[in-house]
Amino acid sequence: LLRFCESAPPTLGEGMVLGREAWLRRLLPDVLSLAAGCVLLALLHGVLGTWPWFVGFTRGQASGPLGRKVAACPRAWLADPSLVPLLAFLALVVWVRPAGSGPAGTEPGAGRGGCIAAARMGLAAGLGIPVAMVLLGKYAVYYGWMAFLPVLGCAVRVLDGFRNGPGGTSAGGAHRDRFLPVMGYLALAAAAAVGWPLRMGTMALEWRSRDYAGVEAFVRAQVGPADEVFADWQAYYPAVTGAREAYFEPVLGCLDAAAREHIDVIIAPEQVAGKVRTLLGGSWSLTGVHAPQAAGVDERRPGRARTYALTAWKRRAPGGTATVNGEDVHVPGK
């Protein structure tokens, strides 16, 4: 599915310039590989007995109002800042049209004739893949490679066309021949500058506040090997390794009443934990808070990653005791 989402938009872009027959020849292998992958995935989950969980997880990811998903598309395009300068360069190439690209700039051959085709394919991939992933489920920053790699390949192809293709003879064409490559190299430099260096700078500034060892220690103190826990993604690793069973947001909708009653610990941010407590029912006690503060951190700074903020809740058993902020409290029976 990931390969199809990555390759289909560029292939559709090729269909604009290569014609229907060539477009179908290029798209057919991806369609067949997608179908084969879906069949094998269904067989695997059938053998393991996890098909209901897979369906529930997928529905949970894909659920949500369409209007909200459409509104999230612009944020998806900006999820990876390094993608923006490359898209701007490709859009500039399509708008300006380099000299030697033909009357309409649509020839898919070598040299300048392929610049417009490559730019259009890059735009189709860079804009289409995030939208497709948002509509299918979500498009987080760690999915950015799916759009970045084809866009980067198309940008390099455009620059290669400038280097190897014949230029224009007019003054305007010569000016574009000098201007567009410079903008392309600047776009590559900007993509490199706002990607990895920005993330490393953020890590250096927030090293202590984002130390995951604190999350691991917090979850280990709240979750025992006999517990069944609902956990936010922030607590994924210690929850999975420390609890008997760990559940996450996408599967909550497919849990029956018995399964919900067996969940006895919640590890999540306060807002999420409140919704989960309402869904699970019963009485709950707040047993801990993990909210490190990043001193001097500007919340509006570009590239700032979210700090870990978690609360721990335990189900209160009627007639027993519960630990509330380190003190044992008796819970009256029904």
Side-chain angles (χ1 to χ4, degrees):
L1 179 59
L2 296 181
R3 169 171 169 74
F4 179 78
C5 290
E6 179 178 328
S7 60
T11 306
L12 292 174
E14 291 174 357
M16 302 176 188
V17 297
L18 297 180
R20 179 180 177 184
E21 185 177 350
W23 168 60
L24 290 176
R25 284 201 305 268
R26 295 199 179 193
L27 185 61
L28 183 59
D30 294 321
V31 173
L32 293 177
S33 64
L34 173 63
C38 290
V39 171
L40 291 176
L41 186 64
L43 289 175
L44 176 63
H45 282 290
V47 171
L48 297 177
T50 55
W51 179 252
W53 293 100
F54 172 77
V55 172
F57 184 89
T58 303
R59 287 178 177 173
Q61 289 280 31
S63 63
L66 180 60
R68 184 181 302 174
K69 291 187 175 184
V70 172
C73 289
R75 292 196 302 271
W77 292 327
L78 300 175
D80 181 4
S82 59
L83 187 67
V84 175
L86 296 181
L87 289 176
F89 167 63
L90 295 178
L92 181 65
V93 171
V94 172
W95 180 55
V96 172
R97 282 217 319 268
S101 62
T106 57
E107 292 84 344
R112 300 293 173 86
C115 288
I116 300 298
R120 286 176 175 171
M121 285 186 277
L123 287 174
L127 298 177
I129 291 174
V131 171
M133 293 301 295
V134 167
L135 296 178
L136 290 173
K138 66 177 181 179
Y139 185 77
V141 64
Y142 43 83
Y143 294 152
W145 63 269
M146 298 174 61
F148 182 80
L149 290 182
V151 170
L152 176 62
C154 290
V156 172
R157 168 64 185 87
V158 170
L159 289 174
D160 185 66
F162 285 125
R163 187 167 61 98
N164 296 326
T169 57
S170 66
H175 178 71
R176 290 196 299 268
D177 289 345
R178 293 191 299 269
F179 170 71
L180 288 176
V182 171
M183 296 304 297
Y185 291 123
L186 288 176
L188 291 175
V194 303
W196 185 81
L198 180 62
R199 183 58 59 191
M200 292 300 100
T202 299
M203 181 188 69
L205 292 172
E206 302 175 1
W207 181 269
R208 293 186 181 277
S209 63
R210 291 189 51 77
D211 184 6
Y212 199 67
V215 177
E216 294 177 323
F218 175 74
V219 175
R220 282 197 299 267
Q222 302 294 334
V223 176
D227 289 326
E228 295 193 16
V229 58
F230 168 86
D232 185 75
W233 298 113
Q234 300 178 47
Y236 178 86
Y237 295 104
V240 167
T241 56
R244 185 166 72 91
E245 193 70 61
Y247 301 93
F248 299 89
E249 188 172 2
V251 302
L252 280 181
C254 64
L255 294 178
D256 57 24
R260 290 197 295 267
E261 289 179 359
H262 281 92
I263 296 178
D264 53 2
V265 179
I266 299 173
I267 306 290
E270 171 56 31
Q271 185 176 7
V272 177
K275 296 178 181 178
V276 175
R277 295 197 307 272
T278 300
L279 177 65
L280 298 180
S283 299
W284 297 83
S285 298
L286 177 65
T287 59
V289 176
H290 177 76
Q293 299 298 321
V297 170
D298 183 3
E299 296 283 344
R300 299 165 297 179
R301 188 177 70 242
R304 183 186 182 278
R306 183 179 62 179
T307 54
Y308 300 110
L310 296 168
T311 59
W313 299 79
K314 291 189 177 181
R315 190 187 291 272
R316 292 186 298 201
T321 61
T323 302
V324 182
N325 294 328
E327 299 182 2
D328 289 335
V329 178
H330 178 73
V331 181
K334 290 184 180 179

